[in-house]
Amino acid sequence: MTTLFSYLLTFLGVIYWFFRALVTVLYQMEIDFFAVPLNDTIEVIVLFATLPCLLLVIKRNLIGAAAYFGIYGSYFGTALYEAFIQAQEGGYNVMNISDIIFLVIGVVIPLLTFLDILLNKHRGNFGADRKTRWFYTNEKYDREFDERADRNQYRL
């Protein structure tokens, strides 16, 4: 990862994953919490499918980011659409607004992560050391440096 924005997006994705895991665990234990899972069985599947996607996002892999956005977009996006429809028909209240906020966060973080990795110019350079990358990618500079060294030979 190269920018602070990338770090923050990944960190927010991990924090949101922990939040959804906490919501699911508390729902399974039948403890009242201000958020509930949309479908507890599918929520567990989404939580486990997100783990490899987050690892691939940390490695700046575009396929992992696309899968992360696809999973969260399909799960939270359809629920967000249904929440908007229900809120327009029945009116807005505190529970509808809090559900909509959590669903929007669940769609926006993977979308921004996908766009960040898609538009990042350093996406393919995650595996090499910075000094090694500089050594192998600056052949033009090395040739120029050698030519200057050849002209500046001093005789004693």
Side-chain angles (χ1 to χ4, degrees):
M1 288 187 271
T2 57
T3 63
L4 179 64
F5 183 69
S6 299
Y7 283 116
L8 289 176
L9 275 177
T10 305
F11 181 70
L12 285 174
V14 170
I15 293 297
Y16 190 74
W17 183 87
F18 277 117
F19 172 73
R20 294 310 295 184
L22 177 71
V23 167
T24 305
V25 167
L26 291 177
Y27 182 78
Q28 292 291 332
M29 294 173 60
E30 298 177 357
I31 297 174
D32 289 334
F33 196 60
F34 60 91
V36 295
L38 304 172
N39 184 348
D40 56 332
T41 307
I42 296 176
E43 184 93 19
V44 171
I45 294 169
V46 167
L47 287 173
F48 280 111
T50 303
L51 288 175
C53 294
L54 284 175
L55 290 175
L56 290 173
V57 164
I58 290 171
K59 289 186 170 195
R60 311 299 291 158
N61 191 334
L62 186 62
I63 295 171
Y68 179 50
F69 175 59
I71 291 169
Y72 271 48
S74 63
Y75 182 66
F76 293 116
T78 56
L80 180 64
Y81 177 74
E82 291 172 2
F84 275 129
I85 297 298
Q86 289 176 357
Q88 287 180 353
E89 291 174 356
Y92 291 98
N93 59 20
V94 175
M95 290 305 289
N96 286 348
I97 292 174
S98 66
D99 288 341
I100 289 173
I101 288 172
F102 291 130
L103 294 173
V104 166
I105 291 171
V107 172
V108 168
I109 290 174
L111 175 66
L112 290 177
T113 302
F114 175 69
L115 291 177
D116 178 49
I117 292 176
L118 182 67
L119 300 176
N120 193 353
K121 63 182 178 181
H122 301 292
R123 178 176 68 232
N125 295 333
F126 64 86
D129 183 23
R130 175 178 281 169
K131 293 177 184 175
T132 306
R133 191 178 336 128
W134 180 86
F135 179 77
Y136 286 113
T137 57
N138 288 324
E139 185 177 341
K140 180 181 175 186
Y141 174 76
D142 289 340
R143 288 182 190 270
E144 197 174 293
F145 185 72
D146 286 343
E147 288 176 6
R148 284 186 284 155
D150 289 343
R151 285 184 296 208
N152 293 329
Q153 293 183 4
Y154 298 103
R155 296 183 186 206
L156 297 173

